[in-house]
Amino acid sequence: VQLQASGGGLVQPGDSLRLSCAASGRTFSNNGMGWFRQAPGKERDFVAAISWSGGYMGYVDSVKGRFTISRDNTKNTVYLQMNSLEPEDTAVYYCGASRGALGSRRMRDYSYWGQGTQVTVSS
């Protein structure tokens, strides 16, 4: 079972990126999925989560209105559209598959993690 995160890069403030997280080895269509991020010297923090059907989405306050999480269960892939990026968004972004169907803000509720993709926002 593998989660492969991709789409990170170096961008300027105000730019956009779309991260992808593709699952292989099993389907996660019945699991909530989430994105977390870890900045240098800091703990891994919740960014966004989505339920198995996509009907529920949750975000940390700092990204509301700028980031959108979505999923395509036919492709076993979850996305994070990031707009109006700020230097404070610089981090390694990790995707995870939760044990439950709704997704969660807590790391301990996730059983699988991707390897992370670096996002750097700098002028």
Side-chain angles (χ1 to χ4, degrees), residues 1 3 5 7 9 12 18 22 30 38 43 45 55 58 61 69 72 84 87 89 96 98-99 101 103 118 121:
V1 179
L3 297 178
Q12 295 185 340
R18 189 176 82 153
N30 294 322
Q38 187 167 17
E43 296 183 347
D45 292 326
D61 285 348
I69 189 171
D72 184 341
S84 302
D89 296 317
S98 73
R99 296 182 183 88
Q118 176 71 48
V121 185

Side-chain angles (χ1 to χ4, degrees), residues 42-101:
K42 296 188 177 181
E43 296 183 347
R44 191 177 300 189
D45 292 326
F46 170 77
V47 176
I50 188 168
S51 64
W52 71 276
S53 66
Y56 167 79
M57 293 163 281
Y59 301 90
V60 67
D61 285 348
S62 61
V63 308
K64 285 181 180 177
R66 299 188 298 122
F67 290 12
T68 302
I69 189 171
S70 62
R71 65 189 298 163
D72 184 341
N73 286 341
T74 65
K75 297 181 179 179
N76 223 14
T77 301
V78 63
Y79 305 96
L80 186 67
Q81 177 67 44
M82 305 186 296
N83 298 329
S84 302
L85 283 161
E86 304 170 352
E88 294 73 22
D89 296 317
T90 295
V92 178
Y93 284 70
Y94 297 90
C95 61
S98 73
R99 296 182 183 88

Side-chain angles (χ1 to χ4, degrees), residues 9-44:
L10 172 63
V11 297
Q12 295 185 340
D15 285 351
S16 299
L17 280 175
R18 189 176 82 153
L19 305 183
S20 298
C21 175
S24 60
R26 59 159 283 185
T27 179
F28 288 104
S29 59
N30 294 322
N31 298 81
M33 302 290 290
W35 286 97
F36 288 70
R37 64 187 179 187
Q38 187 167 17
K42 296 188 177 181
E43 296 183 347
R44 191 177 300 189

